[in-house]
Amino acid sequence: VQLQASGGGLVQPGGSLRLSCAAPGVTLDDYNIAWFRQAPGKEREWVSCINRSDGRTYYANSVKGRFTISRDNAKKTVDLQMAYLKSEDTAVYYCAADEANLCRVVITPDLNLDIRKEEYDSWGRGTQVTVSS
């Protein structure tokens, strides 16, 4: 499935942005959808995921309480509402799709949640988010 991420931009620290992930002609309800991000010089890291089967959501510790992932049935998108943005949130944000019913969440040795980017085959072109004053 070909995904498209949109909604990025420049925002001041403490501000908000809403990203959208869409796949023209495809129902995203048939996939669990994850958001990842990649800052310059860093590995792509997982941010959030929403289950295909029951809509349960998962968040990386770094964004928990500030970001919200949701499905917008009217727009046929999966959105990532980002609030209280920090400079360290600056990155290119990507959405990815997997046909599994559940997000492939793992628990790291330090008891955080994570999803390996290798679990996803379908990726969209990223959208740049820059948090700066």
Short mmCIF file of all heavy atoms in Angstrom, two decimals, residues 42-91:
data_model
loop_
_atom_site.label_atom_id
_atom_site.label_comp_id
_atom_site.label_asym_id
_atom_site.label_seq_id
_atom_site.Cartn_x
_atom_site.Cartn_y
_atom_site.Cartn_z
N LYS A 42 20.29 10.31 13.12
CA LYS A 42 19.80 9.32 14.08
C LYS A 42 19.03 8.22 13.37
O LYS A 42 18.60 8.36 12.23
CB LYS A 42 18.90 9.99 15.12
CG LYS A 42 19.63 10.96 16.03
CD LYS A 42 18.74 11.40 17.17
CE LYS A 42 19.50 12.28 18.15
NZ LYS A 42 18.64 12.69 19.30
N GLU A 43 18.84 7.11 14.09
CA GLU A 43 18.06 6.00 13.56
C GLU A 43 16.58 6.38 13.55
O GLU A 43 16.12 7.21 14.34
CB GLU A 43 18.26 4.77 14.46
CG GLU A 43 19.64 4.15 14.40
CD GLU A 43 19.86 3.40 13.10
OE1 GLU A 43 18.90 2.74 12.63
OE2 GLU A 43 20.98 3.47 12.56
N ARG A 44 15.84 5.74 12.65
CA ARG A 44 14.39 5.92 12.64
C ARG A 44 13.82 5.26 13.90
O ARG A 44 14.12 4.11 14.20
CB ARG A 44 13.79 5.28 11.39
CG ARG A 44 12.33 5.61 11.17
CD ARG A 44 11.85 5.16 9.80
NE ARG A 44 12.58 5.85 8.73
CZ ARG A 44 12.26 5.76 7.44
NH1 ARG A 44 11.23 5.02 7.07
NH2 ARG A 44 12.98 6.40 6.54
N GLU A 45 13.00 6.01 14.64
CA GLU A 45 12.46 5.50 15.89
C GLU A 45 10.94 5.49 15.85
O GLU A 45 10.30 6.34 15.23
CB GLU A 45 12.95 6.33 17.08
CG GLU A 45 12.46 7.76 17.09
CD GLU A 45 12.84 8.50 18.37
OE1 GLU A 45 13.53 7.93 19.23
OE2 GLU A 45 12.42 9.66 18.51
N TRP A 46 10.39 4.53 16.58
CA TRP A 46 8.95 4.39 16.64
C TRP A 46 8.35 5.45 17.55
O TRP A 46 8.93 5.80 18.58
CB TRP A 46 8.60 3.00 17.17
CG TRP A 46 7.17 2.85 17.52
CD1 TRP A 46 6.10 2.84 16.67
CD2 TRP A 46 6.62 2.72 18.84
NE1 TRP A 46 4.93 2.70 17.37
CE2 TRP A 46 5.22 2.61 18.70
CE3 TRP A 46 7.17 2.66 20.11
CZ2 TRP A 46 4.36 2.47 19.79
CZ3 TRP A 46 6.33 2.51 21.20
CH2 TRP A 46 4.94 2.42 21.03
N VAL A 47 7.15 5.95 17.19
CA VAL A 47 6.46 6.98 17.94
C VAL A 47 5.13 6.48 18.50
O VAL A 47 4.85 6.63 19.69
CB VAL A 47 6.22 8.22 17.05
CG1 VAL A 47 5.36 9.25 17.77
CG2 VAL A 47 7.54 8.82 16.59
N SER A 48 4.29 5.90 17.64
CA SER A 48 2.95 5.52 18.06
C SER A 48 2.39 4.49 17.09
O SER A 48 2.87 4.36 15.96
CB SER A 48 2.05 6.75 18.10
OG SER A 48 0.75 6.43 18.55
N CYS A 49 1.38 3.75 17.56
CA CYS A 49 0.74 2.74 16.71
C CYS A 49 -0.71 2.56 17.14
O CYS A 49 -1.03 2.72 18.33
CB CYS A 49 1.49 1.41 16.82
SG CYS A 49 0.93 0.14 15.65
N ILE A 50 -1.56 2.23 16.18
CA ILE A 50 -2.97 1.93 16.47
C ILE A 50 -3.30 0.57 15.88
O ILE A 50 -3.01 0.30 14.71
CB ILE A 50 -3.89 3.05 15.94
CG1 ILE A 50 -5.34 2.79 16.37
CG2 ILE A 50 -3.78 3.22 14.43
CD1 ILE A 50 -6.24 4.01 16.20
N ASN A 51 -3.92 -0.28 16.72
CA ASN A 51 -4.27 -1.62 16.27
C ASN A 51 -5.28 -1.60 15.14
O ASN A 51 -6.15 -0.73 15.07
CB ASN A 51 -4.88 -2.42 17.43
CG ASN A 51 -3.85 -3.02 18.35
OD1 ASN A 51 -2.65 -3.02 18.07
ND2 ASN A 51 -4.30 -3.53 19.48
N ARG A 52 -5.20 -2.60 14.29
CA ARG A 52 -6.22 -2.82 13.27
C ARG A 52 -7.51 -3.34 13.88
O ARG A 52 -8.60 -2.90 13.51
CB ARG A 52 -5.69 -3.84 12.25
CG ARG A 52 -6.75 -4.37 11.28
CD ARG A 52 -6.15 -5.45 10.40
NE ARG A 52 -7.16 -6.00 9.49
CZ ARG A 52 -6.93 -6.95 8.61
NH1 ARG A 52 -5.70 -7.44 8.48
NH2 ARG A 52 -7.89 -7.41 7.84
N SER A 53 -7.41 -4.25 14.83
CA SER A 53 -8.58 -4.99 15.29
C SER A 53 -9.44 -4.23 16.27
O SER A 53 -10.67 -4.22 16.14
CB SER A 53 -8.13 -6.31 15.92
OG SER A 53 -7.23 -6.06 16.99
N ASP A 54 -8.85 -3.59 17.25
CA ASP A 54 -9.65 -3.02 18.32
C ASP A 54 -9.38 -1.55 18.57
O ASP A 54 -9.95 -0.96 19.50
CB ASP A 54 -9.42 -3.80 19.62
CG ASP A 54 -7.97 -3.83 20.06
OD1 ASP A 54 -7.15 -3.10 19.46
OD2 ASP A 54 -7.65 -4.60 20.99
N GLY A 55 -8.51 -0.94 17.78
CA GLY A 55 -8.25 0.49 17.93
C GLY A 55 -7.38 0.86 19.11
O GLY A 55 -7.19 2.05 19.39
N ARG A 56 -6.84 -0.14 19.80
CA ARG A 56 -5.97 0.18 20.93
C ARG A 56 -4.74 0.92 20.43
O ARG A 56 -4.24 0.62 19.34
CB ARG A 56 -5.56 -1.10 21.68
CG ARG A 56 -4.74 -0.84 22.92
CD ARG A 56 -4.51 -2.10 23.71
NE ARG A 56 -3.68 -1.83 24.89
CZ ARG A 56 -3.36 -2.74 25.81
NH1 ARG A 56 -3.80 -3.98 25.70
NH2 ARG A 56 -2.61 -2.41 26.83
N THR A 57 -4.29 1.86 21.26
CA THR A 57 -3.16 2.69 20.85
C THR A 57 -1.96 2.50 21.76
O THR A 57 -2.10 2.12 22.93
CB THR A 57 -3.57 4.18 20.85
OG1 THR A 57 -4.02 4.53 22.18
CG2 THR A 57 -4.69 4.44 19.86
N TYR A 58 -0.79 2.77 21.22
CA TYR A 58 0.46 2.61 21.94
C TYR A 58 1.35 3.82 21.63
O TYR A 58 1.31 4.35 20.51
CB TYR A 58 1.18 1.33 21.51
CG TYR A 58 0.35 0.09 21.67
CD1 TYR A 58 -0.49 -0.35 20.65
CD2 TYR A 58 0.40 -0.66 22.85
CE1 TYR A 58 -1.26 -1.49 20.79
CE2 TYR A 58 -0.37 -1.81 22.99
CZ TYR A 58 -1.19 -2.21 21.96
OH TYR A 58 -1.96 -3.34 22.10
N TYR A 59 2.16 4.19 22.62
CA TYR A 59 3.02 5.36 22.46
C TYR A 59 4.41 5.09 23.03
O TYR A 59 4.55 4.43 24.06
CB TYR A 59 2.42 6.57 23.18
CG TYR A 59 1.07 6.95 22.67
CD1 TYR A 59 -0.09 6.45 23.26
CD2 TYR A 59 0.93 7.81 21.58
CE1 TYR A 59 -1.34 6.78 22.77
CE2 TYR A 59 -0.32 8.15 21.09
CZ TYR A 59 -1.45 7.63 21.69
OH TYR A 59 -2.69 7.96 21.21
N ALA A 60 5.42 5.66 22.38
CA ALA A 60 6.75 5.67 22.96
C ALA A 60 6.75 6.59 24.17
O ALA A 60 5.98 7.56 24.22
CB ALA A 60 7.76 6.17 21.93
N ASN A 61 7.57 6.28 25.15
CA ASN A 61 7.61 7.09 26.37
C ASN A 61 7.89 8.55 26.08
O ASN A 61 7.38 9.43 26.77
CB ASN A 61 8.67 6.54 27.32
CG ASN A 61 8.15 5.41 28.17
OD1 ASN A 61 6.99 4.99 28.02
ND2 ASN A 61 8.97 4.89 29.04
N SER A 62 8.69 8.81 25.06
CA SER A 62 9.09 10.18 24.77
C SER A 62 7.92 11.08 24.33
O SER A 62 8.04 12.30 24.38
CB SER A 62 10.17 10.18 23.68
OG SER A 62 9.69 9.56 22.50
N VAL A 63 6.82 10.47 23.89
CA VAL A 63 5.69 11.26 23.39
C VAL A 63 4.41 11.00 24.17
O VAL A 63 3.40 11.68 23.94
CB VAL A 63 5.44 11.01 21.89
CG1 VAL A 63 6.71 11.24 21.10
CG2 VAL A 63 4.89 9.62 21.64
N LYS A 64 4.43 10.04 25.07
CA LYS A 64 3.21 9.68 25.79
C LYS A 64 2.69 10.86 26.58
O LYS A 64 3.45 11.57 27.24
CB LYS A 64 3.50 8.51 26.74
CG LYS A 64 2.26 7.82 27.27
CD LYS A 64 2.64 6.54 28.00
CE LYS A 64 1.41 5.78 28.44
NZ LYS A 64 1.75 4.52 29.12
N GLY A 65 1.38 11.09 26.46
CA GLY A 65 0.77 12.22 27.14
C GLY A 65 0.77 13.49 26.31
O GLY A 65 0.08 14.46 26.66
N ARG A 66 1.54 13.52 25.23
CA ARG A 66 1.60 14.70 24.36
C ARG A 66 1.04 14.42 22.97
O ARG A 66 0.50 15.31 22.32
CB ARG A 66 3.05 15.20 24.24
CG ARG A 66 3.69 15.57 25.55
CD ARG A 66 5.06 16.23 25.33
NE ARG A 66 6.00 15.34 24.69
CZ ARG A 66 6.62 15.60 23.53
NH1 ARG A 66 6.36 16.73 22.88
NH2 ARG A 66 7.49 14.74 23.03
N PHE A 67 1.20 13.21 22.50
CA PHE A 67 0.74 12.83 21.15
C PHE A 67 -0.47 11.91 21.26
O PHE A 67 -0.56 11.10 22.19
CB PHE A 67 1.85 12.10 20.39
CG PHE A 67 3.03 12.94 19.99
CD1 PHE A 67 3.23 14.22 20.48
CD2 PHE A 67 3.95 12.43 19.08
CE1 PHE A 67 4.32 14.98 20.10
CE2 PHE A 67 5.06 13.18 18.69
CZ PHE A 67 5.24 14.46 19.21
N THR A 68 -1.36 12.01 20.27
CA THR A 68 -2.53 11.14 20.21
C THR A 68 -2.71 10.63 18.79
O THR A 68 -2.79 11.42 17.86
CB THR A 68 -3.80 11.89 20.65
OG1 THR A 68 -3.62 12.43 21.95
CG2 THR A 68 -5.00 10.95 20.65
N ILE A 69 -2.79 9.31 18.65
CA ILE A 69 -3.03 8.70 17.34
C ILE A 69 -4.50 8.31 17.26
O ILE A 69 -5.09 7.85 18.25
CB ILE A 69 -2.11 7.47 17.12
CG1 ILE A 69 -2.19 6.97 15.68
CG2 ILE A 69 -2.43 6.36 18.11
CD1 ILE A 69 -1.15 5.89 15.35
N SER A 70 -5.10 8.50 16.08
CA SER A 70 -6.52 8.17 15.94
C SER A 70 -6.84 7.92 14.47
O SER A 70 -6.12 8.35 13.57
CB SER A 70 -7.39 9.31 16.47
OG SER A 70 -7.16 10.50 15.75
N ARG A 71 -7.96 7.22 14.27
CA ARG A 71 -8.45 7.01 12.91
C ARG A 71 -9.57 8.01 12.64
O ARG A 71 -10.46 8.18 13.48
CB ARG A 71 -8.99 5.58 12.74
CG ARG A 71 -7.93 4.51 12.87
CD ARG A 71 -8.50 3.13 12.60
NE ARG A 71 -7.53 2.07 12.85
CZ ARG A 71 -6.66 1.62 11.96
NH1 ARG A 71 -6.64 2.13 10.74
NH2 ARG A 71 -5.81 0.65 12.28
N ASP A 72 -9.52 8.66 11.51
CA ASP A 72 -10.58 9.57 11.09
C ASP A 72 -11.32 8.86 9.95
O ASP A 72 -10.85 8.85 8.82
CB ASP A 72 -10.00 10.91 10.64
CG ASP A 72 -11.08 11.94 10.36
OD1 ASP A 72 -12.14 11.56 9.80
OD2 ASP A 72 -10.88 13.11 10.69
N ASN A 73 -12.46 8.29 10.28
CA ASN A 73 -13.18 7.51 9.27
C ASN A 73 -13.71 8.38 8.15
O ASN A 73 -13.82 7.93 7.00
CB ASN A 73 -14.31 6.72 9.94
CG ASN A 73 -13.80 5.64 10.85
OD1 ASN A 73 -12.74 5.07 10.61
ND2 ASN A 73 -14.53 5.37 11.92
N ALA A 74 -14.06 9.61 8.46
CA ALA A 74 -14.59 10.49 7.42
C ALA A 74 -13.53 10.83 6.38
O ALA A 74 -13.79 10.83 5.18
CB ALA A 74 -15.15 11.75 8.05
N LYS A 75 -12.33 11.12 6.87
CA LYS A 75 -11.24 11.47 5.96
C LYS A 75 -10.47 10.25 5.47
O LYS A 75 -9.64 10.35 4.56
CB LYS A 75 -10.26 12.41 6.66
CG LYS A 75 -10.83 13.77 7.03
CD LYS A 75 -9.70 14.73 7.45
CE LYS A 75 -8.84 14.16 8.53
NZ LYS A 75 -7.73 15.07 8.93
N LYS A 76 -10.73 9.10 6.11
CA LYS A 76 -10.00 7.86 5.77
C LYS A 76 -8.51 8.06 5.99
O LYS A 76 -7.68 7.70 5.15
CB LYS A 76 -10.30 7.41 4.34
CG LYS A 76 -11.76 7.06 4.11
CD LYS A 76 -12.02 6.54 2.72
CE LYS A 76 -13.48 6.22 2.53
NZ LYS A 76 -13.77 5.71 1.16
N THR A 77 -8.20 8.62 7.13
CA THR A 77 -6.80 8.83 7.48
C THR A 77 -6.53 8.29 8.88
O THR A 77 -7.45 7.99 9.65
CB THR A 77 -6.45 10.32 7.46
OG1 THR A 77 -7.26 11.01 8.43
CG2 THR A 77 -6.66 10.94 6.09
N VAL A 78 -5.26 8.16 9.20
CA VAL A 78 -4.82 7.94 10.57
C VAL A 78 -3.99 9.17 10.94
O VAL A 78 -3.00 9.47 10.27
CB VAL A 78 -3.99 6.66 10.72
CG1 VAL A 78 -3.41 6.58 12.12
CG2 VAL A 78 -4.87 5.45 10.44
N ASP A 79 -4.45 9.86 11.97
CA ASP A 79 -3.84 11.14 12.32
C ASP A 79 -2.98 11.01 13.57
O ASP A 79 -3.23 10.17 14.44
CB ASP A 79 -4.93 12.17 12.57
CG ASP A 79 -5.74 12.47 11.31
OD1 ASP A 79 -5.28 12.12 10.20
OD2 ASP A 79 -6.83 13.05 11.44
N LEU A 80 -2.01 11.89 13.65
CA LEU A 80 -1.17 12.00 14.84
C LEU A 80 -1.26 13.44 15.31
O LEU A 80 -0.68 14.34 14.68
CB LEU A 80 0.28 11.61 14.53
CG LEU A 80 1.21 11.57 15.75
CD1 LEU A 80 0.84 10.39 16.65
CD2 LEU A 80 2.67 11.45 15.31
N GLN A 81 -2.00 13.65 16.38
CA GLN A 81 -2.12 14.97 16.98
C GLN A 81 -0.97 15.15 17.93
O GLN A 81 -0.81 14.37 18.88
CB GLN A 81 -3.46 15.12 17.71
CG GLN A 81 -3.63 16.46 18.39
CD GLN A 81 -3.76 17.61 17.42
OE1 GLN A 81 -4.52 17.54 16.47
NE2 GLN A 81 -3.02 18.68 17.66
N MET A 82 -0.16 16.18 17.70
CA MET A 82 1.03 16.41 18.51
C MET A 82 0.86 17.73 19.25
O MET A 82 0.58 18.76 18.64
CB MET A 82 2.27 16.46 17.62
CG MET A 82 2.42 15.24 16.72
SD MET A 82 3.97 15.23 15.80
CE MET A 82 3.74 16.67 14.78
N ALA A 83 1.03 17.68 20.56
CA ALA A 83 0.89 18.88 21.39
C ALA A 83 2.13 19.02 22.27
O ALA A 83 2.91 18.09 22.44
CB ALA A 83 -0.37 18.78 22.24
N TYR A 84 2.27 20.22 22.83
CA TYR A 84 3.40 20.52 23.72
C TYR A 84 4.72 20.10 23.06
O TYR A 84 5.55 19.43 23.67
CB TYR A 84 3.22 19.82 25.06
CG TYR A 84 1.92 20.15 25.74
CD1 TYR A 84 0.88 19.23 25.78
CD2 TYR A 84 1.72 21.40 26.31
CE1 TYR A 84 -0.32 19.55 26.40
CE2 TYR A 84 0.53 21.72 26.93
CZ TYR A 84 -0.49 20.79 26.97
OH TYR A 84 -1.68 21.10 27.56
N LEU A 85 4.88 20.50 21.81
CA LEU A 85 6.03 20.07 21.05
C LEU A 85 7.32 20.66 21.61
O LEU A 85 7.35 21.79 22.12
CB LEU A 85 5.86 20.46 19.57
CG LEU A 85 4.89 19.55 18.81
CD1 LEU A 85 4.40 20.22 17.53
CD2 LEU A 85 5.56 18.22 18.49
N LYS A 86 8.37 19.85 21.50
CA LYS A 86 9.69 20.22 21.99
C LYS A 86 10.67 20.21 20.83
O LYS A 86 10.42 19.58 19.79
CB LYS A 86 10.15 19.20 23.04
CG LYS A 86 9.18 18.96 24.18
CD LYS A 86 9.68 17.84 25.07
CE LYS A 86 8.70 17.53 26.19
NZ LYS A 86 9.18 16.42 27.06
N SER A 87 11.80 20.84 21.02
CA SER A 87 12.80 20.88 19.96
C SER A 87 13.26 19.47 19.59
O SER A 87 13.55 19.19 18.42
CB SER A 87 14.00 21.73 20.37
OG SER A 87 14.57 21.23 21.58
N GLU A 88 13.28 18.58 20.57
CA GLU A 88 13.71 17.21 20.29
C GLU A 88 12.69 16.40 19.49
O GLU A 88 12.97 15.27 19.11
CB GLU A 88 14.07 16.48 21.59
CG GLU A 88 13.02 16.55 22.66
CD GLU A 88 13.34 17.63 23.69
OE1 GLU A 88 13.71 18.76 23.29
OE2 GLU A 88 13.18 17.34 24.89
N ASP A 89 11.51 16.98 19.25
CA ASP A 89 10.54 16.32 18.37
C ASP A 89 10.82 16.62 16.90
O ASP A 89 10.17 16.06 16.02
CB ASP A 89 9.11 16.79 18.70
CG ASP A 89 8.66 16.38 20.09
OD1 ASP A 89 8.92 15.22 20.47
OD2 ASP A 89 8.04 17.21 20.78
N THR A 90 11.77 17.48 16.64
CA THR A 90 12.13 17.81 15.26
C THR A 90 12.64 16.58 14.54
O THR A 90 13.58 15.92 15.00
CB THR A 90 13.19 18.91 15.23
OG1 THR A 90 12.65 20.11 15.77
CG2 THR A 90 13.67 19.17 13.81
N ALA A 91 12.00 16.25 13.42
CA ALA A 91 12.35 15.05 12.67
C ALA A 91 11.48 14.98 11.42
O ALA A 91 10.51 15.74 11.28
CB ALA A 91 12.13 13.80 13.51
#
